[in-house]
Amino acid sequence: MSKKATIYDIAKELKITAATVSRALNNNPKISKKTRELVHATAAKMNYKQNKLALALKSGKSKNVGVVVPFINKNFFASVIRGIEDELYPKGFHVIISQTHEDVDREKKIIQNLINAQVDGILISTSFTNENKEQLNQELKKSTPFIFFDRVLNFDGTSTVTIDDYQGGFDATEHLIYQGCKRIAHFYVDQNIELYNNRLNGYKDALLKHRIAYHSDYIISLTSDMEAGKEAAEKLMKLPVPPDAIFSSTDNGLLGAVKYLQSISVKIPEDFCVVGFSNEPFTQFLEPSISSVDQSPMEMGKMAAKVFLKQIENDESGIDENVVLPAKLIIRKSSSKQ
Amino acid sequence: MSKKATIYDIAKELKITAATVSRALNNNPKISKKTRELVHATAAKMNYKQNKLALALKSGKSKNVGVVVPFINKNFFASVIRGIEDELYPKGFHVIISQTHEDVDREKKIIQNLINAQVDGILISTSFTNENKEQLNQELKKSTPFIFFDRVLNFDGTSTVTIDDYQGGFDATEHLIYQGCKRIAHFYVDQNIELYNNRLNGYKDALLKHRIAYHSDYIISLTSDMEAGKEAAEKLMKLPVPPDAIFSSTDNGLLGAVKYLQSISVKIPEDFCVVGFSNEPFTQFLEPSISSVDQSPMEMGKMAAKVFLKQIENDESGIDENVVLPAKLIIRKSSSKQ
DNA sequence: TTGTACGCGTTATCAT
DNA sequence: ATGATAACGCGTACAA
């Protein structure tokens, strides 16, 4: 493997200085057309590539942004990242991805690493909760711009991009009410993450608006996996008065519930309606197809990227923008009685 | 936002030189315990972070690897990336992700960019075909190690990690034969990508082994989306002698076919068996669940990362390793007659 | 044990 | 229009 050519190598070859080469390559108008062309030609011949590390060191801008998510191989996060990439790549930025596995210690290390790597900003869906967020506080006060998306923390002076989880919860629940459901259960994800509380509050307020009593028996806490949903549904159906609908904060959990209900011959949507959250790809292929609240992950990624770009333009200001994207209820068979 | 502290700032604070600070921070044994502790304490107090850019520029190693895939929000690629991340992160590497959108011009630019960014290596699932691979040849000869995975190109001196697509195609087809299927169609993806040809060849050889005639009418070329699969199935079922099974190189295409078959009341697996490829998550949740060939994406990612690590250890050698992982046929209801 | 001086590759500032 | 030099932050060979 040959050493990479530098502007010095080109300079030596042409018996000029590196400064001139640099200017020629950057199309500085003060350079004569002749040398400019000569330099470009020689650069191509020597297979010269600009060393962005040196540029970054000099300019103080790495043109890299860090993206931190719990897992990358979940459709939601992968799509958010795609949105970020699509928005930032044309502006010359690279995206450095890290996954925390929902481990806050690991998340701290990752953030440290990214800052060490001189990223120009960090776009993050955090695994920290409001209880332990103080551990992050220190980092945030420092020099790297932070943008939170989806799983956010409310710090002063940091921007956030979320969807309207409250509205999503409200719309989903109200939709079930309009379908004639009287006893609507809710799958809650107990991670002390704000967005799940928002969805729960939307659910509660929809009940309230329609004067339907709130029963704590109908609220089941679970993790967002299929097995937990199965157990939750079993528990619900063994209540003295079982529910006739579920609004779930997680599609995966709901999937388990649907499989269980089908196994005991409960007819969906005739006898029982369900609505999930996230609009995971599988929801549209199942029989019956599952209604779900879409989170527009691509748009969220693009928006987070835009907020980041705006933030680094305004430089020292530390603007505090809180973008809330709409939550879109997608109605499918699982909650369509007529 | 405050400027970041450097070793010079620490040196000034302590009235020593930057060199001493550097040595102390790196726990150089020649530094007295006293100053070492003092330096560490001051560094912490001043919130010092090592600038990896400077380190990278000096050492010539960025500790970044580029990962290039067609799309990131497809389960297969997201999972491969997760495998790469999980393997490389503990070794101090960062992963820079880029997606080509299957655009070879964009792919060339991305590679250029990554090389400019001084990545220590590039792990890539390419959108180039053997026909136009010469455009990449030039890059590969240069200083950055390339590892191809899944969609590979066969260059001398570059390593590849794939699954055994031929075996996957063979096993899937033979399995259908064992189920009693006599007229097995095949969905082929016509992108001139080697792995699709390998799957087709596995299919052909399985037919050959069991003395079943090959009919070109039963080979349908399509893109890997649902709509194309639907049309393909329609076409097949209108043949004078329609098939009684499909082995599809793409789960998404197969999904469309299944939906179509169900719409015309063809019973799966009783009247018609299907097997897909990729083991997309939705295959296990559908009714009936869909048999598919698993590509072990996490393992592929880990293996690609390992090959990369081995390659940079052996430095100048340019080893040419070709790892082939097993393809695992997952049998589900869609091809289980008994 | 610590200080001095240099280089990594680039661009910007000041000369010429 | 071009050259010379400094600077970005770090590690290290050489000196002391």
Side-chain angles (χ1 to χ4, degrees), chain B residues 91-112:
Chain B
K91 310 271 184 186
F93 286 93
H94 280 291
V95 169
I96 297 183
I97 308 227
S98 306
Q99 36 190 345
T100 63
H101 297 193
E102 308 215 5
D103 174 343
V104 294
D105 288 326
R106 187 167 173 165
E107 186 165 327
K108 276 173 69 179
K109 274 194 215 158
I110 284 171
I111 291 172
Q112 282 286 359

Short mmCIF file of all heavy atoms in Angstrom, two decimals, chain B residues 91-112:
data_model
loop_
_atom_site.label_atom_id
_atom_site.label_comp_id
_atom_site.label_asym_id
_atom_site.label_seq_id
_atom_site.Cartn_x
_atom_site.Cartn_y
_atom_site.Cartn_z
N LYS B 91 -13.19 -2.21 20.69
CA LYS B 91 -11.79 -2.05 20.29
C LYS B 91 -11.44 -0.58 20.06
O LYS B 91 -10.37 -0.27 19.56
CB LYS B 91 -11.51 -2.83 18.99
CG LYS B 91 -11.97 -4.26 19.01
CD LYS B 91 -10.90 -5.18 19.54
CE LYS B 91 -11.38 -6.63 19.46
NZ LYS B 91 -10.44 -7.56 20.09
N GLY B 92 -12.39 0.28 20.36
CA GLY B 92 -12.10 1.71 20.24
C GLY B 92 -12.39 2.30 18.87
O GLY B 92 -11.99 3.43 18.59
N PHE B 93 -13.07 1.56 18.03
CA PHE B 93 -13.39 2.09 16.71
C PHE B 93 -14.78 2.70 16.68
O PHE B 93 -15.68 2.25 17.39
CB PHE B 93 -13.34 0.97 15.66
CG PHE B 93 -11.95 0.54 15.31
CD1 PHE B 93 -11.35 -0.51 15.97
CD2 PHE B 93 -11.25 1.18 14.31
CE1 PHE B 93 -10.06 -0.91 15.66
CE2 PHE B 93 -9.96 0.79 13.97
CZ PHE B 93 -9.36 -0.26 14.65
N HIS B 94 -14.93 3.71 15.84
CA HIS B 94 -16.25 4.25 15.55
C HIS B 94 -16.67 3.81 14.17
O HIS B 94 -15.85 3.58 13.30
CB HIS B 94 -16.23 5.77 15.61
CG HIS B 94 -16.29 6.31 16.99
ND1 HIS B 94 -17.42 6.22 17.76
CD2 HIS B 94 -15.37 6.94 17.74
CE1 HIS B 94 -17.19 6.78 18.94
NE2 HIS B 94 -15.94 7.22 18.96
N VAL B 95 -17.97 3.73 14.02
CA VAL B 95 -18.52 3.30 12.74
C VAL B 95 -19.19 4.49 12.06
O VAL B 95 -20.07 5.13 12.64
CB VAL B 95 -19.55 2.18 12.96
CG1 VAL B 95 -20.33 1.91 11.70
CG2 VAL B 95 -18.84 0.91 13.43
N ILE B 96 -18.75 4.78 10.87
CA ILE B 96 -19.37 5.85 10.07
C ILE B 96 -20.23 5.21 9.00
O ILE B 96 -19.74 4.43 8.19
CB ILE B 96 -18.30 6.74 9.40
CG1 ILE B 96 -17.46 7.44 10.46
CG2 ILE B 96 -18.95 7.75 8.48
CD1 ILE B 96 -16.44 8.38 9.87
N ILE B 97 -21.51 5.52 9.04
CA ILE B 97 -22.44 4.87 8.14
C ILE B 97 -22.78 5.74 6.95
O ILE B 97 -22.95 6.94 7.08
CB ILE B 97 -23.75 4.58 8.86
CG1 ILE B 97 -23.45 3.83 10.15
CG2 ILE B 97 -24.69 3.82 7.95
CD1 ILE B 97 -24.30 2.67 10.36
N SER B 98 -22.88 5.13 5.80
CA SER B 98 -23.37 5.84 4.63
C SER B 98 -24.26 4.91 3.83
O SER B 98 -24.04 3.71 3.79
CB SER B 98 -22.21 6.29 3.74
OG SER B 98 -21.28 7.02 4.47
N GLN B 99 -25.24 5.47 3.20
CA GLN B 99 -26.12 4.66 2.36
C GLN B 99 -26.09 5.17 0.93
O GLN B 99 -26.07 6.37 0.68
CB GLN B 99 -27.55 4.65 2.89
CG GLN B 99 -27.98 5.96 3.50
CD GLN B 99 -29.29 5.85 4.21
OE1 GLN B 99 -30.02 4.89 4.04
NE2 GLN B 99 -29.60 6.85 5.01
N THR B 100 -26.09 4.22 0.02
CA THR B 100 -25.88 4.57 -1.39
C THR B 100 -27.19 4.74 -2.14
O THR B 100 -27.19 5.26 -3.25
CB THR B 100 -25.11 3.44 -2.10
OG1 THR B 100 -25.91 2.25 -2.06
CG2 THR B 100 -23.79 3.20 -1.40
N HIS B 101 -28.29 4.27 -1.58
CA HIS B 101 -29.57 4.25 -2.30
C HIS B 101 -29.43 3.49 -3.61
O HIS B 101 -30.12 3.79 -4.58
CB HIS B 101 -30.07 5.67 -2.58
CG HIS B 101 -30.37 6.44 -1.33
ND1 HIS B 101 -31.06 7.62 -1.33
CD2 HIS B 101 -30.05 6.22 -0.05
CE1 HIS B 101 -31.16 8.08 -0.10
NE2 HIS B 101 -30.55 7.26 0.70
N GLU B 102 -28.51 2.56 -3.64
CA GLU B 102 -28.24 1.74 -4.83
C GLU B 102 -27.82 2.57 -6.03
O GLU B 102 -28.00 2.17 -7.18
CB GLU B 102 -29.48 0.89 -5.21
CG GLU B 102 -30.01 0.08 -4.04
CD GLU B 102 -30.55 -1.26 -4.46
OE1 GLU B 102 -30.43 -1.60 -5.64
OE2 GLU B 102 -31.09 -1.96 -3.59
N ASP B 103 -27.23 3.70 -5.76
CA ASP B 103 -26.77 4.58 -6.84
C ASP B 103 -25.24 4.48 -6.90
O ASP B 103 -24.55 4.89 -5.96
CB ASP B 103 -27.24 6.00 -6.50
CG ASP B 103 -26.70 7.04 -7.47
OD1 ASP B 103 -25.72 6.74 -8.20
OD2 ASP B 103 -27.26 8.14 -7.50
N VAL B 104 -24.73 3.94 -7.98
CA VAL B 104 -23.29 3.68 -8.03
C VAL B 104 -22.46 4.98 -8.07
O VAL B 104 -21.35 5.01 -7.55
CB VAL B 104 -22.89 2.78 -9.24
CG1 VAL B 104 -23.48 1.39 -9.07
CG2 VAL B 104 -23.33 3.40 -10.55
N ASP B 105 -23.02 6.03 -8.64
CA ASP B 105 -22.29 7.29 -8.62
C ASP B 105 -22.17 7.82 -7.19
O ASP B 105 -21.12 8.27 -6.76
CB ASP B 105 -22.98 8.33 -9.51
CG ASP B 105 -22.80 8.01 -10.98
OD1 ASP B 105 -21.73 7.48 -11.34
OD2 ASP B 105 -23.73 8.26 -11.76
N ARG B 106 -23.28 7.73 -6.51
CA ARG B 106 -23.26 8.15 -5.12
C ARG B 106 -22.29 7.27 -4.31
O ARG B 106 -21.58 7.75 -3.44
CB ARG B 106 -24.68 8.04 -4.54
CG ARG B 106 -24.77 8.62 -3.16
CD ARG B 106 -26.18 8.83 -2.68
NE ARG B 106 -26.11 9.23 -1.27
CZ ARG B 106 -27.09 9.77 -0.59
NH1 ARG B 106 -28.23 10.02 -1.19
NH2 ARG B 106 -26.93 10.10 0.66
N GLU B 107 -22.29 6.00 -4.63
CA GLU B 107 -21.40 5.09 -3.92
C GLU B 107 -19.94 5.48 -4.12
O GLU B 107 -19.14 5.47 -3.18
CB GLU B 107 -21.64 3.65 -4.40
CG GLU B 107 -20.85 2.63 -3.61
CD GLU B 107 -21.36 1.20 -3.82
OE1 GLU B 107 -22.57 1.01 -4.02
OE2 GLU B 107 -20.54 0.28 -3.80
N LYS B 108 -19.60 5.86 -5.32
CA LYS B 108 -18.23 6.30 -5.59
C LYS B 108 -17.88 7.53 -4.76
O LYS B 108 -16.80 7.61 -4.14
CB LYS B 108 -18.06 6.62 -7.08
CG LYS B 108 -17.76 5.41 -7.92
CD LYS B 108 -17.76 5.73 -9.39
CE LYS B 108 -16.58 6.60 -9.81
NZ LYS B 108 -16.62 6.85 -11.28
N LYS B 109 -18.80 8.47 -4.72
CA LYS B 109 -18.57 9.70 -3.94
C LYS B 109 -18.40 9.38 -2.47
O LYS B 109 -17.54 9.95 -1.79
CB LYS B 109 -19.76 10.65 -4.11
CG LYS B 109 -19.68 11.55 -5.31
CD LYS B 109 -20.71 12.67 -5.18
CE LYS B 109 -21.28 13.06 -6.53
NZ LYS B 109 -22.58 13.73 -6.43
N ILE B 110 -19.25 8.49 -1.99
CA ILE B 110 -19.18 8.13 -0.57
C ILE B 110 -17.82 7.52 -0.23
O ILE B 110 -17.21 7.87 0.78
CB ILE B 110 -20.33 7.14 -0.24
CG1 ILE B 110 -21.65 7.90 -0.17
CG2 ILE B 110 -20.05 6.40 1.05
CD1 ILE B 110 -22.88 7.02 -0.07
N ILE B 111 -17.38 6.65 -1.11
CA ILE B 111 -16.07 6.02 -0.86
C ILE B 111 -14.97 7.07 -0.84
O ILE B 111 -14.09 7.07 0.02
CB ILE B 111 -15.81 4.93 -1.93
CG1 ILE B 111 -16.78 3.77 -1.72
CG2 ILE B 111 -14.38 4.45 -1.85
CD1 ILE B 111 -16.75 2.74 -2.83
N GLN B 112 -15.05 7.98 -1.80
CA GLN B 112 -14.08 9.08 -1.83
C GLN B 112 -14.08 9.84 -0.51
O GLN B 112 -13.04 10.10 0.09
CB GLN B 112 -14.45 10.07 -2.95
CG GLN B 112 -14.05 9.62 -4.34
CD GLN B 112 -12.55 9.74 -4.56
OE1 GLN B 112 -11.81 10.17 -3.68
NE2 GLN B 112 -12.10 9.32 -5.73
#
